[in-house]
Amino acid sequence: MRRGRRDEAAVAVALLRARCGWTQRQLAAAAGVHRTMISDYESGKRRPTRRTLERLAKAAGVSLDWLLVLARAAGDAPNHALGQSMQPAEAIGRAVTRAAQVRTAELAAMLALPDCPAAAPPPAKARARAAELWEDFAGLAPRERQLLLARARDYRSWPLVERLCSESVSAAPADLKTAARLADLALEVARALGEDAASRSRAQGYAWAFIANARRVSGDLHGADRAFSRGLLLWRAGARSALPFDEIRLLDLEASLRRGQRRFAESLALLDQALAQAPRGEAAARLLLNKSATLDQQGDAEGAMAALREAASQAGVGSEPRLLWGIQFNLAACLCHLGRYGDAAALLPVIRVRAAGFKNRHDLARTFWLMGRVAAGHGRRDEAGEAFTGARTIFISEEMPLDVALVNLDLALLLLEEGKTAEIQPLAREAAELCRACGVGREALGALELLARGKEGDDLQALALRIVALLERARSDRKAFFDAS
């Protein structure tokens, strides 16, 4: 648009609403922008880019060329005269009269336009409907899902894609198979959407990111990388779509993948990019929790604690319980890494209560492990041994071999402090077998074999601590110890 004609943009946006009889909120929902942006455009506080105007015009079912001609012809009309208070026919009529004085061809084209599209349901309403649908849909057999997608339009919706992806993330800490199944289901729905090609591409790109996340948490980093690359291509191909998927969530998921690949600088850059766009509150707290995990794995415990404190300040009392638990758990783990066991102990009562409320055996095992670390730090060996044994029992039943191996080493360190060198050998041998089955590198396996053959007088404690560091690195390459992403 020409400089000095600021009102043209305001008139253009108001004309779109007047043509369809929409409120600012309805136009924002149809175009996938925030409602306040529509208000700012109409008042002249902000000036939409050509790309944004094209997106708004498309949502209202008109071409950008038509909109610009009509807006220029009506540019001297008072802004308020084209606002929400004017009847659609009256607003369009005034603009058409002015346009007819300029170009009769555009007027003829305008009169031949199809009916205005129906107003898109507000995202909150559409998401509430998806919440009602997803549980029944997820429980169906594959053939039944295909029939439902073919016959029931309600199930072919972007909010259901979004909801299934969210449920996949929620399921991941306790049930990796369910997490993968829900992400795959989201992709099925995305492919069946009754939307334009760009929107289907956008929805599929979003779903592929969550398939990648399920693979990452299960330890398949190569598969996760391939899935994420495919998702990004589809996401970018659908850039013209008006569907309001959350791009910040994709930055968060990619950052988690890069952290798992030990590409820490990339992970932190992605998180900083997301934080620059995220609103204050729970969304920012979740990103900061992810950032703290990256900093901790990078060896920056102090930086991780600073990120966790900021996350705690962002997360309100009403935030999602698992997010609050993750902040507290990771903060206590960082304090243990720094040898501040008293401060970590102060957090344990709340961590234990929250973990019990989740009724999730993985969280319970991690809580036992944390209790063991705190007790060992205070020299309470019997208490630490009971806690580590409790964690080990759950890790065995849940088939988490690297976690079993790490708890074995925690138990071995307790035995070494008591001078019970011979008793560490079966623990070290079992840890070596578990690590070999997981494909852990030669350095860690060699150190475990030395520990299993160790004799009194050898510096076995230093060797055990070195193995712990190696296995924690191996585990972070396969999956996060605590994953709230």
Side-chain angles (χ1 to χ4, degrees):
M1 292 191 158
R2 297 189 299 272
R3 296 187 64 180
R5 296 295 304 277
R6 185 184 182 96
D7 282 349
E8 274 183 15
V11 170
V13 177
L15 276 172
L16 291 175
R17 290 204 302 109
R19 176 177 189 268
C20 296
W22 287 352
T23 64
Q24 291 179 345
R25 187 180 299 278
Q26 286 172 322
L27 177 57
V33 301
H34 197 280
R35 186 194 64 78
T36 58
M37 292 176 68
I38 304 299
S39 176
D40 287 348
Y41 294 154
E42 291 189 15
S43 67
K45 290 182 181 177
R46 301 173 70 177
R47 193 176 191 184
T49 64
R50 184 181 178 89
R51 184 173 178 181
T52 299
L53 275 177
E54 186 175 26
R55 188 173 181 178
L56 293 168
K58 181 181 177 182
V62 300
S63 72
L64 181 59
D65 289 340
W66 176 87
L67 176 61
L68 296 181
V69 168
L70 207 57
R72 286 166 186 160
D76 60 344
N79 285 348
H80 66 80
L82 295 172
Q84 187 175 338
S85 62
M86 178 175 285
Q87 293 299 312
E90 182 185 358
I92 290 291
R94 290 191 185 184
V96 166
T97 300
R98 298 179 188 281
Q101 296 168 357
V102 182
R103 294 186 185 179
T104 56
E106 278 75 14
L107 173 58
M110 189 282 301
L111 292 173
L113 281 173
D115 291 339
C116 185
K125 184 177 180 180
R127 286 170 175 138
R129 176 60 177 153
E132 297 171 2
L133 298 174
W134 89 268
E135 290 184 4
D136 291 340
F137 186 58
L140 295 175
R143 177 60 180 164
E144 293 173 318
R145 290 202 301 262
Q146 291 173 0
L147 289 172
L148 196 57
L149 286 173
R151 296 175 181 175
R153 185 169 181 173
D154 272 2
Y155 289 86
R156 303 195 298 272
S157 68
W158 68 263
L160 188 57
V161 174
E162 184 182 68
R163 182 59 186 253
L164 289 165
C165 288
S166 176
E167 293 297 333
S168 172
V169 171
S170 297
D175 190 341
L176 295 174
K177 290 181 180 178
T178 295
R181 181 169 58 85
L182 289 171
D184 288 340
L185 193 53
L187 182 61
E188 285 185 43
V189 177
R191 286 171 171 162
L193 286 185
E195 305 279 352
D196 57 89
S199 293
R200 285 195 299 275
S201 181
R202 196 75 158 175
Q204 289 176 62
Y206 190 80
W208 270 109
F210 288 82
I211 291 173
N213 186 66
R215 292 179 182 179
R216 174 187 67 84
V217 178
S218 70
D220 181 10
L221 290 184
H222 293 300
D225 202 27
R226 289 194 300 271
F228 215 100
S229 296
R230 184 170 183 177
L232 285 176
L233 287 174
L234 286 162
W235 177 263
R236 290 165 182 159
R240 294 171 64 86
S241 168
L243 296 183
F245 286 113
D246 184 5
E247 188 168 10
I248 293 173
R249 198 72 181 95
L250 299 193
L251 292 170
D252 188 20
L253 292 177
E254 186 178 1
S256 296
L257 175 58
R258 303 309 169 211
R259 182 186 74 214
Q261 294 170 320
R262 302 190 69 79
R263 292 157 60 176
F264 297 129
E266 292 176 53
S267 177
L268 292 171
L270 287 163
L271 289 168
D272 286 341
Q273 182 183 345
L275 282 165
Q277 301 175 40
R280 289 184 60 83
E282 189 168 326
R286 194 174 300 280
L287 292 166
L288 287 161
L289 178 59
N290 196 350
K291 185 173 184 177
S292 76
T294 303
L295 290 167
D296 188 40
Q297 289 185 27
Q298 191 176 242
D300 184 2
E302 291 287 358
M305 286 182 59
L308 287 167
R309 291 192 187 98
E310 176 63 16
S313 72
Q314 295 276 359
V317 176
S319 292
E320 197 268 321
R322 185 170 175 79
L323 172 63
L324 296 174
W325 182 81
I327 293 170
Q328 293 160 338
F329 181 95
N330 283 16
L331 181 56
C334 283
L335 289 166
C336 286
H337 293 163
L338 295 170
R340 296 169 55 181
Y341 298 106
D343 293 333
L347 296 172
L348 275 178
V350 175
I351 291 171
R352 292 174 63 179
V353 169
R354 288 193 183 277
F358 297 145
K359 298 180 181 179
N360 178 324
R361 285 173 61 80
H362 288 205
D363 294 338
L364 184 61
R366 293 182 175 105
T367 302
F368 278 140
W369 169 84
L370 183 61
M371 291 165 57
R373 284 282 175 100
V374 171
H378 282 114
R380 300 195 297 270
R381 296 191 185 94
D382 290 344
E383 182 182 332
E386 289 179 9
F388 287 142
T389 300
R392 181 177 181 275
T393 300
I394 297 175
F395 286 143
I396 289 172
S397 68
E398 296 295 309
E399 299 181 357
M400 300 173 70
L402 280 179
D403 296 284
V404 175
L406 277 163
V407 175
N408 276 11
L409 290 167
D410 283 316
L411 288 166
L413 285 166
L414 289 177
L415 292 169
L416 286 171
E417 290 176 4
E418 297 174 2
K420 299 177 180 178
T421 305
E423 294 182 32
I424 72 168
Q425 293 177 350
L427 290 170
R429 281 196 294 270
E430 181 185 49
E433 291 170 5
L434 292 168
C435 290
R436 190 174 290 107
C438 291
V440 170
R442 294 178 182 177
E443 185 180 3
L445 287 173
L448 278 165
E449 289 169 0
L450 287 174
L451 185 63
R453 296 196 303 268
K455 299 177 182 178
E456 191 171 350
D458 295 339
D459 192 354
L460 299 179
Q461 187 172 36
L463 181 59
L465 289 170
R466 177 165 156 256
I467 298 169
V468 168
L470 289 169
L471 292 191
E472 285 185 339
R473 174 169 179 170
R475 184 184 53 192
S476 71
D477 279 347
R478 294 177 63 83
K479 64 177 180 176
F481 188 61
F482 169 74
D483 192 341
S485 299

